[in-house]
Amino acid sequence: MAAVQEKSFTGKVALVTGGSKGIGAGIVRRLASDGASVAFTFSSSEEKALKLVHEVESGGGKALAMKADSASAEELRAAVIKTAETLGPLDIFVSNAGILTLGTIDSYSLEDFDRMVSINVRAAFVGVQAAAHKMKDGGRIVLIGSNTAIRTAFPGGSIYSMTKAALTGLVRGAAIDLAPRAITVNNVQPGPTATDMSAAHADKVKTLIPLKRMGDVSEIAGLVSYLASEEAGFITGASLTIDGGYVA
Ligand code: NDP
């Protein structure tokens, strides 16, 4: 009889921001199925968050949902601390929560700009810093950026592209700063992926992707899982694009 293979993340603790739906929920499912205990934050989708906890627990896994607005440094820091207190020190932190507010540069409001920067950029910094304080040496940090850091392609995307381009710089520096602790820091840059965020643009954008389809959240989660694995220990400071060839 074949020996039962232990799951790769058994005994590990992960925290994913914005895990209630879309790519974040895909990452929660994947890390939990890899054996990790997975905490995640959400800001408004409480019903979806609780359903996901139930789903993970029904499959024999462990999940913890926390309401924490990434725009608030206090709430995000508190979520990191609660994860460590409830599940143990972190092995994996995924900064995924993000928003998309489109608008051309000549009319983009300062309020929208500030909100985009606070959730897409400032929260990545706050999350990485707080997670690093509660993380074991040898841990893994993954940010979710976007291939729009490389190619904006449409009118109205300048501020979103700017926030995602900022993450490429953040991971380079953070990777160097945390290297003495063997913590890797990387940035996954998805292309158009089927979620609520992209739904309005899916038909138009699909035709521009060489593979002629949107990405599936499980494909993005697969790359995150790889970067969080032991095997990926020599990858750090990298921004890896996963987009069906969109920017090729
Ligand atoms: P969704 O809108 O489907 O989901 C966003 C998730 O983030 C939800 O769980 C949401 O929770 C959470 N979230 C949003 N705002 C906050 C906040 N202020 N505080 C805490 N949680 C928050 O988006 P996607 O899954 O599509 O996007 C996930 C990430 O992937 C984002 O960073 C996005 O920029 C990036 N991305 C997405 C692409 C795509 O085509 N879908 C392509 C490239 C990158 P709640 O509903 O509770 O607010």
Side-chain angles (χ1 to χ4, degrees), residues 26 53 62 73 90 113 127 131 135 159 161 177 208-209 226 229 246:
V53 169
K62 204 169 183 182
L90 270 64
F113 179 94
M135 184 169 270
I159 306 308
S161 295
D177 292 348
L208 302 171
I209 301 172
Y226 171 67
S229 71
Y246 191 62

Side-chain angles (χ1 to χ4, degrees), residues 43-108:
S43 62
S44 58
S45 304
E46 183 160 20
E47 207 180 306
K48 287 193 168 92
L50 296 178
K51 230 170 140 180
L52 182 55
V53 169
H54 181 70
E55 181 191 320
V56 169
E57 289 180 346
S58 307
K62 204 169 183 182
L64 169 70
M66 295 169 291
K67 185 169 163 60
D69 185 349
S70 285
S72 158
E74 290 69 30
E75 290 183 24
L76 186 48
R77 287 187 189 124
V80 173
I81 290 166
K82 187 172 175 192
T83 302
E85 284 173 356
T86 313
L87 302 176
L90 270 64
D91 298 281
I92 300 163
F93 173 65
V94 183
S95 180
N96 161 79
I99 56 167
L100 168 69
T101 305
L102 296 171
T104 53
I105 196 73
D106 47 356
S107 61
Y108 207 87

Side-chain angles (χ1 to χ4, degrees), residues 18 20-21 23 43-45 68-70 96 145 160 164 190-191 193 195:
S20 51
K21 60 180 187 168
I23 291 172
S43 62
S44 58
S45 304
D69 185 349
S70 285
N96 161 79
Y160 183 73
K164 296 303 186 175
T193 305
T195 68

